[in-house]
Amino acid sequence: MANYYFVGLSTIVGLTILSLLYDSFDMEMYMCKREETAPHDTTREFTSKNVTFDIYGKQWKDVIVFVHIQKTGGSNFGRHLKANLMLEKPCVCQRGIKACNCSRPGSENEQWLFSEYSVGWACGVHADWTEMVNCVPSMLDKFENVKQQTWQRRRYFYVTVLREPFARFLSEWQHVQRGATWFSSLHMCDEHVPTEEELPLCYKGALWENVSLDEFLSCPFNLASNRQTRMLADLTKVGCYSSLSDTETKAKMLESAKENLRRFAFFGLLENQLDTQMLFEDTFKLKFKKDFDQRNDTYAAKIKKENLTVEQIQGIYDINAEDFLLYDYARDLFKERVSAMRARRKKTLPS
């Protein structure tokens, strides 16, 4: 069993703010009222069937918002967005700096992309849907130096990438073994950071290096468990971080994640790079310069189930039960969207 270490709220907030790319991070602006910053993008589906993304921002200031879930191939996808798209005005990047300027054609500061590769971790490291939907509008106002109410002209096209939960969980465990903790993530929900009682840490010290799989599995506060479901759900509907392990809470969180996923303009699957690329191009009417690569030689893939105990395998399934249900749902929804895309393309082909 892991030893649990409680860190004071002021420590968490302080280290978080220091870790953000923008030193001028404005917590008051971040904690804006939900009803003021969650317009129509969260209540309807944005797909290529009913909405056309406009990178020029002629009528609406359309913005692609990338929710980057850990260990889903999101870093690679994010690099595709900033550097691999055929654009009239490519993102301007500087050597050694992760974030690029991805402004619209004809504008110097209006952003068409909101991700760590364009605006840094502006809403916190690996911010989830709950954080992003409350943070993105005000952060864009800040970056673009726009006047009040201008955000009403924006439309937000949420995108993400999902991964088969067993491999994703193992990949996160290995990443933590190598020194990653994402300790500086905010986990902002309902305008507050979780208290130390709501969200303790699973380890002592600054890192959880060399943690065993059994120890990783045994911590009830490990956010690696059901991470995809939690990061796509509206956590304000389940009391934020106060009862994530409760059975009823998990069920509500899963339904919320499914609902939000349906409303995402686009999501891809790490295991299906070809269709992920094609679906993105069809949805946003943007083309990539180079095709996506399907990589199966991941670190997690090298861990064979035969090398794990029966208890470890069952433990991974048990603590990620909602993620497995969400992934099954996402895979079916993905197939539907791909099938619809191919049907539309077939109709447009010359006879």
Side-chain angles (χ1 to χ4, degrees), residues 63-64 66 81-82 91 102 111-115 117-119:
V63 182
I64 295 175
F66 178 32
L81 293 182
K82 78 167 183 177
C91 296
C102 297
Q111 302 294 307
W112 63 266
L113 175 64
F114 194 103
S115 80
Y117 289 102
S118 59
V119 296

Side-chain angles (χ1 to χ4, degrees), residues 199-250:
L199 190 58
L201 292 179
C202 297
Y203 52 91
K204 291 182 177 180
L207 301 175
W208 205 8
E209 286 182 304
N210 302 316
V211 57
S212 69
L213 180 56
D214 289 334
E215 190 177 13
F216 199 69
L217 284 165
S218 68
C219 177
F221 315 112
N222 191 348
L223 293 181
S225 305
N226 286 319
R227 183 177 287 281
Q228 296 179 101
T229 302
R230 177 182 57 81
M231 289 188 67
L232 293 183
D234 182 350
L235 297 182
T236 63
K237 293 183 177 180
V238 295
C240 296
Y241 289 85
S242 60
S243 59
L244 289 185
S245 60
D246 179 74
T247 301
E248 184 178 355
T249 296
K250 289 181 179 179

